[in-house]
Amino acid sequence: MLEILDLPYWDEKDEQGKYIFRDLLTSSIWNSNVDKIQSILRLPYWGNPIYQHLLTSSLWILNAKHIQDVIEFCETIGIEQFITISLLKKSILQLKALIHYLNEQNISIIINGKLNPIFNYSSSVLKKKYHIDLKELVRIEKKENIKLCLS
């Protein structure tokens, strides 16, 4: 516990003198270990203003590799400025499945300058409210990925 409190990140400030990471010191941090915390805080994205809204205690349920993979995926398709914590919680396969679903339905990924809310809903809400079975979409996506690999 003291190892976490002794990390130098808590004293880092931005150009305006505001602490960058201190708001992450919430009770949920104690479910993580010092190595996991450091690996997340070391990610190169936090200096970029488009990612700073992601600096919430919800990061502690993720791991650095997953955060990096999702951000890189979003950058490759040009939606990095729309990333939310809810989107970060999804797997790349889930994101691809949702994108393919939207494309097949001729529904925009970006609506009125914002990410389509479908990306922020849990799979249970998607199924109950919108009749979208994310597990089935992922199963189809996996099948398509296998086809691409075999071609």
Side-chain angles (χ1 to χ4, degrees), residues 3-145:
E3 282 181 306
I4 292 172
L5 291 175
D6 287 339
L7 290 172
Y9 299 100
W10 314 129
D11 294 323
E12 287 185 30
K13 295 181 180 180
D14 63 16
E15 298 82 35
Q16 289 80 35
K18 183 179 178 268
Y19 288 104
I20 300 170
F21 300 112
R22 274 217 185 150
D23 289 343
L24 300 175
L25 278 171
T26 65
S27 59
S28 61
I29 201 168
W30 307 122
N31 295 324
S32 299
N33 63 48
V34 72
D35 293 329
K36 179 180 179 180
I37 292 166
Q38 284 183 314
S39 65
I40 290 172
L41 297 180
R42 274 192 214 124
L43 290 171
Y45 309 106
W46 311 133
N48 187 331
I50 67 170
Y51 299 120
Q52 289 176 349
H53 70 281
L54 300 171
L55 289 171
T56 70
S57 59
S58 296
L59 284 176
W60 305 135
I61 63 169
L62 304 169
N63 66 58
K65 175 77 171 118
H66 180 79
I67 295 168
Q68 184 173 357
D69 289 347
V70 172
I71 289 176
E72 286 177 1
F73 172 75
C74 290
E75 288 176 343
T76 62
I77 61 171
I79 63 167
E80 63 273 12
Q81 68 271 29
F82 303 105
I83 299 173
T84 62
I85 287 291
S86 296
L87 184 135
L88 271 182
K89 292 177 183 177
K90 292 191 173 18
S91 70
I92 301 294
L93 205 51
Q94 288 174 320
L95 295 174
K96 287 179 178 180
L98 287 170
I99 289 168
H100 286 143
Y101 172 82
L102 291 173
N103 286 336
E104 288 171 2
Q105 302 299 316
N106 291 319
I107 301 171
S108 295
I109 294 173
I110 306 301
I111 300 172
N112 297 326
K114 294 183 179 180
L115 187 66
N116 188 311
I118 196 172
F119 290 98
N120 294 320
Y121 296 132
S122 67
S123 48
S124 60
V125 170
L126 285 172
K127 192 168 190 172
K128 186 176 183 179
K129 190 172 181 181
Y130 298 100
H131 309 290
I132 299 170
D133 187 343
L134 187 55
K135 286 181 182 178
E136 179 61 16
L137 293 177
V138 167
R139 189 189 65 72
I140 294 166
E141 188 66 28
K142 282 181 183 176
K143 215 180 207 180
E144 290 302 313
N145 283 343

